[in-house]
Amino acid sequence: MPELRRDPVVGRWVIISTERAGRPRDFLENCHAVQPQTPLCPFCPGQESLTPPEVLAYRPGNGQPNGPGWTVRVVPNKFPALQVEGEMGREGVGLYDRMNGIGAHEVIIETPDHKSALADLPPKHLEDVFWAYRDRMVDLKRDIRLRYILVFKNHGAAAGATLEHTHSQLIALPIIPTSVTAEIEGCRAHYQQKERCIYCDIIRQETQDRVRIVTDNPEFIVVTPFAPRFPFEMWVLPKRHAAYFEESQKTQFELLARIVSDALRRMDRALARPAYNFMLHSSPFHEKSSEYYHWHLEIIPKLTQVAGFEWGTGFYINPVMPEEAAQFLREVEL
C-alpha cells in the first residue's frame, strides 16, 4: 500500500508509491547519463582563453594564471544568471517588487581531465574541490550585498549539464531562496520547541535505527531521508553540529571528500552511472541561525520526472522506499 510521509524539517509531504515501479534494481535500464558532446572544450587545459579570467586556481607547480598546470580552476560563468557589477536598485512597482540582477555566477572546473567524473577523482582531489567551494564562499561573503550562496552540480544532460567536462557551479544571491527559508523556519520551530537541532535529532535517530544509513565515518553520515522526494535521494550530514560549510576544518574536508566519493561511487555502481544533481545547503550569511541550522549536501539521481501533480501540489511521488534504497546502496561492492 502507498504511504504518505512527512519531511520533519520543512513539513513537505511525499507519497511513497511502490506500485508505480518495481524494486530498486528496475531503475538500471533507463538511468544512464547521456552527456552532450562538444568539439572544443573550454574547460580543458590549453583552452583557458575560451573562459573568462579565473578567480581561483590551484596550481601545484605555481604556473602562470589562466594557463595550463592547474588541478582545480574557478572562472566566472560566461553566460551568468547574475552579475557582480552594479547597484541593487530595489524598488516597488505598484503591488510588485523588483531589483537588479546583482550577484555572482561562477563555474568550478573540478579536474583538467575531460573524461573523469567527480566519482572517479581520488578523495584527495575531491577535497581540493571542496576547498575551492570554501575559498570562494569566504571571498564572496565579504560583499555585503549578498545574502546566500548556493553551490550545485548538474551531472549529465538529463540533470541539466550543458558541457561534458565535469564541473559544478556557484551562484551568490542578494536574497535567501524560498526552499532555504523553509528549511530555516522548520529548524527554528523545532529548536524553539525542543531546544535541539532537528538535523542532529535526525542523525541520532538514523544512527539508532540503522535502516536508512548508506555509509558513515567519524565526521559524516550519508542517509536516505525518511520522506525523500526522489528515488535514491541521499543527504550527507556532518555529525557535529555546524551551520556554515565554509567554517569546516581540514580534517572535516578530508573525511567529507572520502564519504562523498564513497556515496557517488555506490550510486554509480548501483544505478549504472546516472545523471544527478547535488546541492550544498549552508546557512545564509547574515542569519543568526548557528544554534539551530545544520549545513548538508543533498544528492539526487535523475531517475524520475517532476510533472503536473508535483507542480500543482508541492508534493512528490517516489516509487522507492528509502529503506530499500539505502540497503541497495549499502550492499554495493566497491
Side-chain angles (χ1 to χ4, degrees), residues 58 113 121 142 158 214 220 272 290 298 314 324:
Y58 298 154
D113 185 354
L121 301 181
R142 299 187 182 103
V214 176
F220 294 92
S290 58
E298 299 178 2
E324 290 186 3

Side-chain angles (χ1 to χ4, degrees), residues 24-188:
R25 193 173 302 279
D26 295 336
F27 283 95
L28 294 176
E29 294 180 5
N30 300 311
C31 64
H32 293 278
V34 178
Q35 295 281 7
Q37 301 295 317
T38 52
L40 186 63
C41 176
F43 294 166
C44 281
Q47 306 298 332
E48 288 80 8
S49 63
L50 298 180
T51 69
E54 63 198 36
V55 293
L56 175 71
Y58 298 154
R59 286 187 170 81
N62 296 319
Q64 291 297 314
N66 298 302
W70 50 273
T71 54
V72 179
R73 186 168 184 255
V74 184
V75 299
N77 194 303
K78 196 171 184 177
F79 307 101
L82 300 167
Q83 63 181 33
V84 173
E85 298 81 10
E87 300 295 328
M88 293 294 294
R90 296 178 186 268
E91 65 175 344
V93 184
L95 173 66
Y96 307 108
D97 297 306
R98 67 164 300 279
M99 69 178 77
N100 292 327
I102 298 300
H105 189 175
E106 300 177 355
V107 178
I108 300 93
I109 308 169
E110 297 155 350
T111 172
D113 185 354
H114 184 85
K115 295 188 179 299
S116 288
L118 196 65
D120 301 325
L121 301 181
K124 181 58 182 172
H125 191 122
L126 186 54
E127 182 187 342
D128 288 342
V129 173
F130 291 135
W131 276 110
Y133 294 172
R134 179 261 179 198
D135 288 348
R136 292 308 301 145
M137 291 173 78
V138 168
D139 184 47
L140 289 165
K141 200 172 181 177
R142 299 187 182 103
D143 189 332
I144 61 173
R145 300 172 301 171
L146 304 178
R147 298 186 64 193
Y148 190 76
I149 286 182
L150 177 69
V151 177
F152 64 96
K153 180 176 179 64
N154 304 329
H155 173 78
T162 55
L163 287 173
E164 180 181 10
H165 196 124
T166 187
H167 63 283
S168 41
Q169 300 182 62
L170 175 156
I171 293 185
L173 299 158
I175 53 178
I176 302 172
T178 303
S179 61
V180 177
T181 299
E183 280 187 0
I184 291 171
E185 289 305 316
C187 292
R188 181 185 289 120

Side-chain angles (χ1 to χ4, degrees), residues 140-294:
L140 289 165
K141 200 172 181 177
R142 299 187 182 103
D143 189 332
I144 61 173
R145 300 172 301 171
L146 304 178
R147 298 186 64 193
Y148 190 76
I149 286 182
L150 177 69
V151 177
F152 64 96
K153 180 176 179 64
N154 304 329
H155 173 78
T162 55
L163 287 173
E164 180 181 10
H165 196 124
T166 187
H167 63 283
S168 41
Q169 300 182 62
L170 175 156
I171 293 185
L173 299 158
I175 53 178
I176 302 172
T178 303
S179 61
V180 177
T181 299
E183 280 187 0
I184 291 171
E185 289 305 316
C187 292
R188 181 185 289 120
H190 185 87
Y191 186 82
Q192 288 174 344
Q193 181 181 4
K194 300 186 178 181
E195 296 185 353
R196 301 191 307 266
C197 163
I198 190 167
Y199 285 104
C200 290
D201 280 357
I202 288 171
I203 291 167
R204 277 189 286 269
Q205 180 156 338
E206 296 299 343
T207 301
Q208 177 180 332
D209 294 346
R210 308 301 299 180
V211 293
R212 285 176 292 274
I213 292 179
V214 176
T215 183
D216 70 337
N217 66 28
E219 289 285 347
F220 294 92
I221 187 170
V222 178
V223 300
T224 55
F226 174 76
R229 296 158 292 180
F230 306 101
F232 294 92
E233 177 179 348
M234 291 182 282
W235 291 357
V236 183
L237 296 156
K239 289 182 176 179
R240 285 193 281 178
H241 179 75
Y244 299 93
F245 168 84
E246 66 272 19
E247 293 181 357
S248 302
Q249 302 301 308
K250 185 177 188 304
T251 302
Q252 292 170 299
F253 279 132
E254 290 174 359
L255 291 172
L256 175 63
R258 292 180 196 173
I259 205 164
V260 170
S261 177
D262 186 318
L264 292 178
R265 286 185 292 116
R266 288 179 185 279
M267 182 180 71
D268 274 4
R269 183 66 68 87
L271 302 172
R273 298 177 75 90
Y276 67 88
N277 303 100
F278 78 50
M279 296 74 65
L280 173 62
H281 283 196
S282 185
S283 185
F285 295 158
H286 309 301
E287 287 278 322
K288 295 180 179 179
S289 57
S290 58
E291 289 185 322
Y292 51 82
Y293 191 71
H294 200 115

